[in-house]
Each structure stands twice: as C-alpha cells, then as structure tokens.
Amino acid sequence: MTSLLRFPPNELEELLVSLEAPRYRADQVLRALYQGGCDSIDALIQLPRDLRERMKTAGLTVQLPVILREVVSDDGDTTKALLSLPSGPTVETVLMQYPRSGRGPRSTVCVSTQAGCAMGCVFCATGQMGFERNIPAEDVVAQVLHFQRLLALRGEHVTNVVFMGMGEPLANYEETLRAVRQLTDPRAFDLAQRAITVSTVGIPRAIDRLATENLQVGLAISLHAPDDALRRRLVPTARPNSIAELLDSGRRYFRTSGRRVSIEYALVGGVNDAPRHAQELGKLLRGSGMHVNLIPLNPTAGPFVAPSRRGVREFRRILTEAGVNATVRIEKGSEIAAACGQLRTDVDAASGRGSAAFPSPS
Ligand code: SAH
Ligand code: SF4
C-alpha cells in the first residue's frame, strides 16, 4: 500500500495517467488532500468510481495518523499529539501558536523525522531512546496535515513547519527532502520555502547537499558548545573537529542559498553555560552573521539541570557584547512535555528507558 501523500504533483500525474486517467485528475486529488478533508480513496468523490477502484487495486491509499493522545497546554497555545503513523511508529508532533497583531496566529508545526535518534545527545530524551526507524515523507506530510485540518476547523492554517521533533532530519535525508518538496509545492501543501526550518545536529556532507537543492529553507545547526571536547561530551557522535566543519558548512549554505544560518545552543546548567563558554562562542561566531538561539535545558529523564535565569541573561549579554545576535527561545509547552528534547513516546517513558548518564570527558 502506498499513500497518495507520498507523491509530488508531477509523480501523481504520471501515476494517474498510468491508470488511464486524464492529467487534470491530479489537481482534483491534490485539492482534496491538501485543502479538503479527504481521508480515503473512497472519499475522492470527484473521481469516477472505476478510477477509484483502479487506484485501490494499484495499492494506493490515503493514510492519516491515528491520534493516540492529545494534550493542550494551560494557555492553549501548544498542542502535543501522540500520533500512530501509518508506517508503524508512534511519534509526537507539536503545534505551537503565537498571536500576531492584525492577522491570525503564527501556527508552527514541529515534525518528527525519525522514531528515536542515533546521534545520542546526552540531554535529549529522543537521543536516549536510540534509533528505531526512519519516517517516510508521506508520514512527515501527514503530521502537518493532522494539524492543518484541526486548524481549518477554526479558520486558521499552518504558517510554519520546523523539523525539530524526534530524530535527525539530515540522517533521513531523502525522505526529509521529499517532505519539504511536498510541503512547499504550490500544487500540493503550498507553504513558502522560507516558512520551513530544518534543524540538524550537523552532518556537514548533508548540509552541503542541502545547499545544492536550490531551496530557500532555513537551516539551524545545533552546536551546544564552543569547543570540540565539550561538544563531544554532549553530542557523543560528534567528530573531533566538528565545530570547524559545521561552521564551514553553515557558511557555505549561506553563500549558496542566501539564507542566514542559525545556531542552536541548549544551555545545560553547570555544563556549557558559564561566562567563559559565552566568550568563546562569541569569538567563534563574531562576524559570521549567524544568529544564536539559546534554549534553556528542558528537564528530561537525565541528570541534567536547567541553567539559572540569571546565567541565561548573562550568557546572552556576553554574546551580544561580542557582536553576536542572540535570543532566548521562549519555551512552549514544557508543562505538557512538548518542549525541545522532551518528545518521546509515552510507552518508552512508562518503561523507564532513557536515563542519560553523563560520560566523563575523554
Ligand atoms: N536532531 C535535530 C532536530 C531535533 S532536536 C537537532 O538536534 O537539531 C531540536 C532541538 O532541540 C535541538 O537544538 C536540540 O539540541 C534541542 N534539544 C534536545 N533536547 C533538549 C532539551 N532537553 N532541552 C532543550 N533543548 C533540547
Ligand atoms: Fe537526535 Fe537532535 Fe536529540 Fe541529538 S538533539 S539526539 S540529534 S534528536
């Protein structure tokens, strides 16, 4: 069985032509999928019945996630859905809303690209689960559609998509790219490329490849440390000279795509949040044009603690003084465990997996 959500418009056209349908049928299907509420081949009532039958015989389906649980934050701005994806895994997908004056809210969907993650970042709940499997493009798209349809009921729509949920998007490169193309194709989901951000722990070759795709998507690199020794304690899979390599690939991405790269820095209390770390980071990034997002640690099963509020303010001040633009990410939904790094399945949480041990410095 293959979900129709897997096919970009040109492939869908070919597929329908191979089933002896005229090309224009593709646009009817695309509209029903992305603007309508179509949830099965039978619901495509715009199509002749015999075409629908041929589609089913060809193994085509419309598969949407099943909601296992949905939790809304106290302020109503964050909704976390535990979704059972058609391809098998259970993942968490989050909707974050920010009011905007004079128009509807900014509605950002944070999608998962893998169940678990092989990168093993010690402060990240997903990393501590280990790698389970890649999520196919159609199931990434389906996560966005899940919230799009919810929002449509109240006259709103998804305005942004961030690849910051479970998993490392660039370790599932082909499917991530396919999902980005579906989400931004004017005949499919039709989101602006600039409304998408891919966050990566940093695979330089994959970043370079992304730069050649002729896309305008934003790139966020999760750095977390100003020196390689400290970075490898936090990201055990990082290479010895990963920082230099990553900043180089970030600069190349900027040159090729014209999009500024942002740096994510999870502030872990007593580990990477000292003033000297801020000074070193400032030296490293001065003049790079890269913006830093400071993310105060969210509690996970591990032994790590959040930084103090004063420490965060001071860290930011030092960066700003060094000429590096920095903002502190306002965490949304931490009380419903939907903030960065807290995404994991309830099943795993219940089994007690995921306590992170901090490796001693190598
Ligand atoms: N794998 C990608 C995208 C998913 S993680 C990446 O690492 O960039 C998205 C962001 O959440 C990353 O910047 C990650 O470092 C951060 N993060 C993970 N666990 C966190 C935690 N417990 N507290 C705060 N940020 C966390
Ligand atoms: Fe994977 Fe990102 Fe978590 Fe690291 S922070 S383990 S790369 S999901």
Side-chain angles (χ1 to χ4, degrees), residues 23-295:
R23 263 172 212 283
Y24 73 86
R25 294 287 183 201
D27 280 311
Q28 291 180 312
V29 173
L30 291 163
R31 263 197 303 278
L33 289 175
Y34 295 105
Q35 279 121 54
C38 169
D39 59 0
S40 68
I41 299 279
D42 284 323
L44 288 165
I45 47 169
Q46 309 83 334
L47 305 184
R49 182 190 292 269
D50 59 335
L51 174 56
R52 279 183 267 151
E53 290 309 318
R54 286 200 296 283
M55 289 168 82
K56 285 195 271 184
T57 310
L60 297 172
T61 58
V62 178
Q63 292 182 300
L64 294 170
V66 175
I67 312 164
L68 300 181
R69 216 154 70 83
E70 201 152 64
V71 199
V72 182
S73 63
D74 294 342
D75 61 12
D77 288 346
T78 304
T79 307
K80 178 178 76 166
L82 188 64
L83 300 176
S84 166
L85 298 179
S87 57
T90 298
V91 296
E92 291 184 353
T93 309
V94 183
L95 169 71
M96 294 159 287
Q97 294 199 286
Y98 306 82
R100 296 184 296 190
S101 59
R103 50 194 173 147
R106 190 166 85 184
S107 300
T108 301
V109 177
C110 177
V111 292
S112 295
T113 52
Q114 298 182 313
C117 181
M119 309 309 292
C121 302
V122 293
F123 51 83
C124 169
T126 310
Q128 295 310 306
M129 287 166 65
F131 175 71
E132 286 172 14
R133 60 199 286 185
N134 282 326
I135 294 171
E138 59 271 32
D139 278 357
V140 175
V141 173
Q143 292 172 59
V144 180
L145 266 193
H146 167 76
F147 279 115
Q148 171 65 29
R149 291 178 179 188
L150 193 88
L151 290 172
L153 297 175
R154 41 189 212 236
E156 296 168 4
H157 62 277
V158 172
T159 60
N160 298 75
V161 173
V162 293
F163 285 68
M164 291 186 185
M166 297 167 79
E168 169 48 44
L170 297 188
N172 183 16
Y173 189 90
E174 301 290 344
E175 298 303 307
T176 293
L177 241 279
R178 206 176 167 92
V180 167
R181 295 211 186 275
Q182 288 284 78
L183 292 171
T184 57
D185 193 306
R187 293 169 69 198
F189 195 73
D190 194 23
L191 201 65
Q193 291 179 0
R194 289 177 161 265
I196 290 190
T197 301
V198 173
S199 173
T200 176
V201 73
I203 305 173
R205 282 222 324 261
I207 294 175
D208 285 341
R209 192 171 161 200
L210 189 66
T212 65
E213 305 281 357
N214 196 20
L215 284 168
Q216 287 282 297
V217 299
L219 180 71
I221 298 178
S222 297
L223 202 67
H224 311 314
D227 68 83
D228 284 305
L230 179 56
R231 185 161 200 268
R232 286 176 74 191
R233 287 167 64 196
L234 293 166
V235 184
T237 51
R239 293 219 293 242
N241 55 346
S242 68
I243 292 181
E245 285 177 336
L246 278 176
L247 295 181
D248 279 349
S249 59
R251 280 187 274 267
R252 286 193 293 272
Y253 187 84
F254 173 52
R255 273 202 303 276
T256 324
S257 70
R259 291 299 312 270
R260 284 198 188 282
V261 172
S262 56
I263 297 293
E264 288 174 289
Y265 194 105
L267 282 166
V268 187
V271 176
N272 66 353
D273 64 339
R276 70 180 170 84
H277 297 125
Q279 283 149 9
E280 286 171 38
L281 188 65
K283 269 196 216 136
L284 206 59
L285 298 179
R286 194 182 358 238
S288 68
M290 293 182 190
H291 177 103
V292 178
N293 269 320
L294 297 170
I295 319 171

